[in-house]
Amino acid sequence: MAEDIKTLDDLKDVVAETADAPEAVVETAIKYVAIRDELGRSYATGKRKDAVARVWIKPGSGKVVVNGKEMAVYFARPVLQMILRQPFTVAGVDGQFDVMATVKGGGLSGQAGAVKHGISKALQLYDPSLRAALKAAGFLTRDSRVVERKKFGKAKARKSFQFSKR
């Protein structure tokens, strides 16, 4: 394939060659491997707004501990608890993994998003076959939206002071 393809006939020849040798195409495909520590856990870092979460997952009964507290105690609002459970439901592994997370910075909503991002990344590292479902749901992508900075001459980032002609 070092030669240049200039016509459609050349392209047909290249396609025919790769059809004859599918193992060459398989070798170039990206292969994901499971990454676990000596305790059988997978680790990932999740981020959202100003919050950063360090997340460890291991096979278990579905217990989620955030900063030493149960999920229902730390994230009291049901919406935040639902956000944390989303990666497990999308991947189809409800109640199969224990989660231990430490999270710093931001508010509760940002922290819940950071833990969700960390859980998704850790699940993908523990079992690479779950990557397709998590990627399709958009859970492996860091949500890069952050608070806009305040500009000088403005009340907030974009809000102006009241205008008066006189």
Side-chain angles (χ1 to χ4, degrees):
M1 268 213 226
E3 67 276 353
D4 291 336
I5 300 171
K6 298 191 190 256
T7 66
L8 287 175
D9 292 328
D10 294 341
L11 182 62
K12 287 180 188 173
D13 294 338
V14 171
V15 169
E17 288 173 15
T18 55
D20 294 338
E23 61 275 353
V25 176
V26 173
E27 288 176 9
T28 60
I30 299 172
K31 296 176 185 168
Y32 295 99
V33 294
I35 300 173
R36 301 179 191 143
D37 64 5
E38 61 277 355
L39 299 175
R41 303 176 302 181
S42 283
Y43 167 79
T45 304
K47 296 181 179 182
R48 172 78 174 97
K49 293 186 178 180
D50 276 340
V52 179
R54 301 183 306 157
V55 178
W56 291 266
I57 65 163
K58 64 180 180 178
S61 61
K63 187 173 136 187
V64 178
V65 177
V66 180
N67 287 352
K69 298 178 182 177
E70 288 291 323
M71 174 183 65
V73 175
Y74 193 83
F75 294 115
R77 286 186 275 170
V79 173
L80 300 179
Q81 295 174 23
M82 179 201 69
I83 288 173
L84 288 187
R85 283 193 289 268
Q86 280 179 335
F88 296 113
T89 55
V90 167
V93 291
D94 280 329
Q96 295 180 20
F97 290 96
D98 287 343
V99 177
M100 203 285 281
T102 58
V103 62
K104 290 182 182 177
L108 283 178
S109 178
Q111 288 184 351
V115 173
K116 171 182 148 182
H117 185 226
I119 289 172
S120 302
K121 286 170 64 176
L123 277 172
Q124 177 245 319
L125 290 174
Y126 190 88
D127 186 3
S129 66
L130 302 176
R131 178 177 169 79
L134 293 168
K135 182 85 171 157
F139 293 162
L140 297 178
T141 305
R142 188 224 195 270
D143 190 352
S144 61
R145 295 176 296 169
V146 293
V147 177
E148 190 174 348
R149 76 172 187 88
K150 183 194 175 301
K151 280 75 169 189
F152 56 87
K154 298 280 187 176
K156 294 179 6 181
R158 297 186 181 204
K159 184 179 178 184
S160 297
F161 297 109
Q162 182 173 351
F163 177 75
S164 173
K165 197 166 187 177
R166 291 184 218 344

